[in-house]
Amino acid sequence: MSDTAPGPKAHRRLLVIHNPMAGRRRRARFWAALELLERDGHDLSLRPTEAPGDASAFARNVGPDAADLVVAAGGDGTINEVINGLVAPGRPASLPPLPLAIVPLGTSNVLAAEIGLAKTPAAVARAIREAVLCRVSLGRITGTGVAAAGRYFILMAGAGPDGHAVAGVDPALKRRYAQGAYLWSGLRQVLISRRRRYVVEVDGEAHEAAWVVVAKAGRYGGPFVMAARARLDQPRFEVCLFAEGGVWPAARYGSALALGRLAGSPGFKSVLGRRVRIAAAAPTPDAPAAESGAEPLQADGEDVARLPVEIEVVPDALDLVVPRGGPYGG
């Protein structure tokens, strides 16, 4: 459900947290969007990130005395950091979470695709000017390698090939080739996979899979719809379970995802739920035990935890600016 904000006067002061490492073409789009916002009369305060954690720290400490709206400019990882700063318990109780807008500057821009936000400066500036707000629910991860307060995500969390791909991506290749680095890492993980298996409990019901994606949003990897029943504004997950591992099943799943036919693909199923537990399955002759702490979990494209983990829905956690007329904008 979405509602229209009182208008631009209520959101004139913008704290813009941005990743300055974006490529030249993306930087040009970023500055063009800021110029349009300034023409609209917005007061802009820029906070460039220099190291991991900066975006969370900036968002955690901003309050209504300094800004009316936080703008996350970057890829889905930067947006994830900003969200964790806005809603994590480490934020002072005197600072209620501010609404969030995004400027998509990443490679996949999954959140922008999910809400129907075009990458053009005009589309970004128009969305912020109109300030249509959608109250969204988030996922919260607790477990090994995660702070006691948990780690939040807005898109998805995954264990299996994508978890290992994100954890194993070469930082130098990521800087140089962006999405291509993840594709290479993912292919490598499929090729060297040891037939990993996971036990996935959804609201207490146990399942087993070779790959699991806990989806809060419908899209995965950009424009592709993996979880057709998942929505940002609903307090539930669609848990996507892939029964088979290995090269040929991965190719079949990938082709079905690209063609929009994943729901009918052999070996795939999805279930709805609010609480999920993921753990490595007990070893079998065909699937040896994983090394302790070796099974990674990715969330919004970031390596965030090691199995086992617990994941729960946090309802009505954040107000997100969405484009008018889009899938979340009425």
Side-chain angles (χ1 to χ4, degrees), residues 4 20 39 54 60 69 72 81 88 91 94 126 160 172 186 188-189 194 223 225 233-234 246 294 306 317 319 324:
T4 304
R39 290 181 187 176
D54 282 356
R60 184 180 301 117
L69 181 71
E81 273 204 36
R91 183 175 171 85
S94 60
R126 181 168 57 251
R188 180 172 175 270
Q189 290 301 327
R194 297 183 303 168
V225 176
D233 55 3
Q234 294 295 319
R306 295 295 179 268
D319 284 329
R324 187 184 301 278

Side-chain angles (χ1 to χ4, degrees), residues 29 72-80 83 100-121 123-124 127 136 154-156 217-225 232 300 320-329:
R29 293 204 314 267
D76 292 311
T78 298
I79 296 168
N80 177 276
I83 288 172
L100 174 69
I102 66 170
V103 180
L105 299 177
T107 303
S108 297
N109 298 306
V110 180
L111 182 56
E114 178 72 16
I115 64 176
L117 177 63
K119 295 185 294 184
T120 65
V124 170
V136 302
I154 192 170
L155 295 169
M156 89 299 284
R219 283 166 176 76
Y220 181 93
F224 308 113
V225 176
L232 298 175
D300 292 351
L320 179 68
V321 173
V322 297
R324 187 184 301 278
Y328 294 91

Side-chain angles (χ1 to χ4, degrees), residues 92-321:
S94 60
L95 301 180
L98 294 174
L100 174 69
I102 66 170
V103 180
L105 299 177
T107 303
S108 297
N109 298 306
V110 180
L111 182 56
E114 178 72 16
I115 64 176
L117 177 63
K119 295 185 294 184
T120 65
V124 170
R126 181 168 57 251
I128 294 173
R129 179 174 62 250
E130 294 178 343
V132 176
L133 300 181
C134 177
R135 180 66 56 87
V136 302
S137 299
L138 301 174
R140 186 173 80 100
I141 303 162
T142 55
T144 307
V146 181
R151 176 70 180 247
Y152 294 79
F153 64 92
I154 192 170
L155 295 169
M156 89 299 284
D162 64 343
H164 280 274
V166 171
V169 70
D170 184 286
L173 290 178
K174 180 180 176 181
R175 286 191 297 271
R176 185 170 184 178
Y177 297 110
Q179 189 71 1
Y182 287 106
L183 293 175
W184 170 249
S185 182
L187 176 61
R188 180 172 175 270
Q189 290 301 327
V190 168
L191 293 174
I192 68 174
S193 169
R194 297 183 303 168
R195 302 177 65 84
R196 305 178 183 100
R197 306 294 298 175
Y198 305 95
V199 175
V200 185
E201 294 181 11
V202 183
D203 292 346
E205 181 178 351
H207 308 266
E208 188 168 315
W211 176 25
V212 54
V213 174
V214 181
K216 191 66 199 63
R219 283 166 176 76
Y220 181 93
F224 308 113
V225 176
M226 174 178 286
R229 296 182 289 171
R231 281 188 61 91
L232 298 175
D233 55 3
Q234 294 295 319
R236 69 187 186 195
F237 301 117
E238 182 172 358
V239 183
C240 300
L241 302 161
F242 300 80
E244 302 172 76
V247 175
W248 293 115
R252 186 177 71 244
Y253 294 138
S255 297
L257 178 63
L259 294 172
R261 300 175 181 173
L262 186 59
S265 180
F268 172 83
K269 70 175 181 178
S270 71
V271 294
L272 301 177
R274 295 169 63 96
R275 297 185 68 90
V276 182
R277 184 179 190 274
I278 308 174
T284 68
D286 291 333
E291 299 176 10
S292 177
E295 286 296 319
L297 182 86
Q298 67 88 11
D300 292 351
E302 298 294 313
D303 181 22
V304 299
R306 295 295 179 268
L307 301 187
V309 296
E310 305 273 351
I311 307 175
E312 64 178 341
V313 167
V314 182
D316 299 332
L318 184 70
D319 284 329
L320 179 68
V321 173

Side-chain angles (χ1 to χ4, degrees), residues 57-73:
F58 295 152
R60 184 180 301 117
N61 294 310
V62 63
D65 59 331
D68 305 310
L69 181 71
V70 174
V71 179

